[in-house]
Amino acid sequence: MASKEIALVLFIFAVLHVAGAVTSYTWGKWGHWGSCDSNCPDSNDGTKTRTRTCSSHNRTGLHTTTHSVTYIHCGTSSQSQQNTHCNVSCPVNGGWGGWTSWSTCSVTTGTGSTERYRSCNNPAPAHFGKDCTGISQQHNPCTDGGWSTWSDWSGCSVTCGYGGRYRNRTCDSPAPLHGGRPCAGVDSDIDVCYDVACPIDGGWGNFTSAGSCSVTCDVGVAYSTRKCDNPPPQFGGKECEGSPASFEKCEMPGCLRDGGWTGWSNLTSCNSICGMGMQRTLRTCTAPAPANGGRECTGESMLSRECDNGPCPSDIKGCDGTLLMDAMRGAQSADFNCYSTSGADTSGSGSSGIDPKGMISEMCLAPDSDAWIIGVQVSHFVY
């Protein structure tokens, strides 16, 4: 503070002190808190207030003066009031809870009464809230249910054989009212019904064991049978479909069969290059072949005849026809497999001692050549 200001205050104080009475002010005590100002029913939060006053005090000076000077030192007016947060219990108006179930009818037959109740607890009134309006108890007449008469039977559920039928009744004579007991018992009834027997289609039984074979040798047929008895057709049912018999191949030991000749083959070409030669024709015992002890074919399986391929050249030694025929017959009848070029029997089974190749080679060999045997090719006669 500046010295001039300090001097001024001292001067005023001196004047006041000398001049006369002085009034001073001080804060009094705080008053009681006021009621809570809330936003019920939206919110229970609010504010409460208390106040205090600025009191004056007179002081008489040594000298009397006709002037009164006020000396204020309470402070600002904002210091005269205090606010604080507060909570209040807002009033709660009562609300009805749900009704109870109707009580049991007071009588078992006829008309009686039944009751139900509700409470003012949803919510219960609180903090001076309003009570529920309306009634808390209801009474009604009550009636137990009674059955109607049975309906007619329905049609049978099937057109043949055993089936079912049904009938109904309803609990409406009277219907249960206001807690009355429902009807005791069932509301439907079922019964067995029968009209006519249903058709039963036939079914095959099992086949019997196969019977004896139809032949005593070779391949034949055996058969078995079955019956339409599983079940048999009844009440107009269909017969079994298919055959009552079953056939299967059977084989017996082979039958005795004699052999038979085939036809003769065509004659072979003449087997000589020139001069006399031979032709032959063959047949086999295969039409049929003998089997299971049957007889072999009788007769010859080969026939031969002479053939002439024309005269041979003059420088070729001619063959002796008689010796040539003997050699050929010896080749057909001799028991041998093969001969050496010298004529010795190498098979061990030769018995005739005839060497057709040696004979023919000696009699009919062309000069200075081993390639051809004039009249007969030896290879045609080695069997």
Side-chain angles (χ1 to χ4, degrees):
M1 184 179 292
S3 57
K4 291 182 179 181
E5 293 175 349
I6 295 173
L8 179 60
V9 170
L10 292 176
F11 173 74
I12 293 172
F13 179 76
V15 170
L16 290 175
H17 181 72
V18 174
V22 176
T23 300
S24 63
Y25 291 85
T26 59
W27 290 113
K29 294 182 178 180
W30 288 103
H32 296 291
W33 289 102
S35 60
C36 189
D37 182 13
S38 68
N39 294 322
C40 288
D42 298 329
S43 173
N44 62 351
D45 291 334
T47 304
K48 59 183 179 179
T49 304
R50 66 177 181 176
T51 59
R52 62 180 178 176
T53 59
C54 185
S55 301
S56 61
H57 303 281
N58 293 326
R59 295 171 56 191
T60 304
L62 298 176
H63 304 281
T64 302
T65 179
T66 59
H67 298 283
S68 176
V69 178
T70 301
Y71 179 56
I72 300 174
H73 57 86
C74 281
T76 64
S77 60
S78 62
Q79 296 176 340
S80 65
Q81 178 177 313
Q82 280 186 336
N83 298 322
T84 187
H85 178 266
C86 60
N87 289 336
V88 297
S89 297
C90 294
V92 178
N93 296 328
W96 288 114
W99 289 101
T100 63
S101 300
W102 288 102
S103 65
T104 304
C105 196
S106 60
V107 296
T108 56
T109 58
T111 301
S113 63
T114 183
E115 297 85 24
R116 67 177 183 173
Y117 303 89
R118 63 178 178 174
S119 299
C120 186
N121 59 1
N122 188 32
H127 310 300
F128 305 103
K130 296 178 181 179
D131 206 347
C132 296
T133 58
I135 59 174
S136 62
Q137 183 177 7
Q138 284 184 333
H139 299 270
N140 274 322
C142 56
T143 303
D144 289 340
W147 288 114
S148 66
T149 57
W150 287 102
S151 66
D152 294 333
W153 286 106
S154 68
C156 196
S157 60
V158 295
T159 58
C160 64
Y162 288 95
R165 61 178 185 169
Y166 64 91
R167 61 180 182 173
N168 297 320
R169 60 180 178 174
T170 55
C171 186
D172 59 1
S173 298
L177 181 65
H178 300 307
R181 295 180 179 86
C183 298
V186 296
D187 61 354
S188 62
D189 188 18
I190 300 175
D191 188 26
V192 177
C193 55
Y194 179 85
D195 191 0
V196 294
C198 294
I200 299 175
D201 295 337
W204 288 113
N206 295 326
F207 279 104
T208 62
S209 299
S212 59
C213 194
S214 61
V215 296
T216 58
C217 63
D218 283 343
V219 178
V221 174
Y223 71 94
S224 58
T225 60
R226 58 181 178 175
K227 294 181 179 181
C228 186
D229 59 0
N230 186 34
Q234 301 178 64
F235 312 117
K238 297 178 182 179
E239 292 287 339
C240 296
E241 296 181 358
S243 174
S246 174
F247 300 89
E248 58 185 54
K249 182 177 75 171
C250 56
E251 295 185 11
M252 302 297 287
C255 296
L256 182 69
R257 186 174 65 199
D258 293 336
W261 288 112
T262 63
W264 289 102
S265 67
N266 295 328
L267 282 168
T268 62
S269 60
C270 192
N271 61 1
S272 66
I273 297 175
C274 63
M276 297 299 294
M278 296 294 294
Q279 289 180 301
R280 63 178 177 176
T281 179
L282 303 174
R283 62 179 179 175
T284 60
C285 188
T286 58
N292 302 315
R295 290 175 294 184
E296 292 285 341
C297 299
T298 59
E300 298 294 332
S301 64
M302 182 180 70
L303 293 177
S304 301
R305 73 176 185 180
E306 291 185 2
C307 58
D308 187 356
N309 256 349
C312 292
S314 59
D315 60 343
I316 295 178
K317 181 180 179 180
C319 292
D320 186 311
T322 301
L323 294 177
L324 182 60
M325 291 299 295
D326 290 341
M328 290 172 61
R329 280 192 290 270
Q332 292 178 24
S333 61
D335 181 13
F336 66 90
N337 287 330
C338 63
Y339 288 85
S340 66
T341 56
S342 63
D345 184 357
T346 60
S347 67
S349 60
S351 59
S352 66
I354 299 174
D355 177 7
K357 181 178 180 183
M359 289 179 62
I360 297 170
S361 298
E362 182 179 345
M363 292 184 296
C364 305
L365 190 65
D368 301 323
S369 174
D370 293 329
W372 294 101
I373 299 173
I374 303 304
V376 177
Q377 289 181 291
V378 176
S379 60
H380 289 178
F381 292 94
V382 179
Y383 297 99

